[in-house]
Amino acid sequence: PNVAMLYAHPNLSPKLLSKMSDYDGIVIVGMGLGHVSTNPFNDPKVQGLGKEIKELIQSGVSVVMSPQAIYGRICMRVYTTGRMLIDEGVIGDGADWTPEAAYTKLCWVLSQTKEPKKVEKMMMENIAGEISEISAIETIED
């Protein structure tokens, strides 16, 4: 399938995202808990990507979130930005897959189906250990 991977960073251009409508799917390697700027409060000084992400998803492009950290779990429910992404249909809340695993899995899933609900269900199902059941808590001993 025709899948792209895009690393999120401050000042990521909305124009870049709007030009990705020819892809079947996009993995966004998000910041923090799995975020990109969505400009939830309509600040005129902020370039939000919410509109472009919504348009991509509405046009049939599957959008998946991945963390930038090697060890980390996406939790888009913590901040307004992430909740907006979930509401728009971004897949990945709760996953701890690596960007490469999310990309490979999205390629495989889109070769099976392009139906949005099925894509989401298959992406969030642990198939080969790419999504951990729980995150281990490590403590530092003196």
Side-chain angles (χ1 to χ4, degrees):
N2 188 22
V3 177
M5 185 174 342
L6 178 67
Y7 276 75
H9 55 81
N11 205 30
L12 179 60
S13 169
K15 286 182 185 180
L16 176 61
L17 264 181
S18 65
K19 293 180 187 232
M20 301 186 95
S21 60
D22 289 338
Y23 287 94
D24 295 325
I26 301 168
V27 173
I28 298 176
V29 187
M31 299 177 285
L33 296 170
H35 295 97
V36 296
S37 175
T38 57
N39 194 10
F41 306 110
N42 298 314
D43 184 333
K45 299 175 194 151
V46 175
Q47 288 190 89
L49 304 172
K51 176 179 169 265
E52 288 75 15
I53 290 172
K54 180 179 183 175
E55 288 172 356
L56 285 171
I57 292 170
Q58 287 177 341
S59 74
V61 177
S62 295
V63 179
V64 174
M65 186 63 68
S66 172
Q68 289 185 12
I70 294 173
Y71 300 107
R73 187 170 300 275
I74 298 166
C75 186
M76 296 187 294
R77 293 164 278 123
V78 175
Y79 301 110
T80 302
T81 298
R83 291 189 296 274
M84 287 178 70
L85 294 171
I86 291 170
D87 290 344
E88 299 307 338
V90 174
I91 300 166
D93 186 46
D96 65 339
W97 46 40
T98 63
E100 297 80 10
Y103 178 87
T104 303
K105 187 171 186 176
L106 184 58
C107 288
W108 179 79
V109 168
L110 289 173
S111 73
Q112 311 297 310
T113 183
K114 296 207 177 22
E115 199 279 303
K117 291 292 181 195
K118 288 182 182 177
V119 171
E120 181 176 12
K121 183 178 185 296
M122 291 174 76
M123 285 300 296
M124 295 308 295
E125 181 181 330
N126 183 25
I127 295 173
E130 72 282 2
I131 302 173
S132 302
E133 291 295 319
I134 60 169
S135 296
I137 298 174
E138 295 184 22
T139 59
I140 299 173
E141 296 182 27
D142 292 331

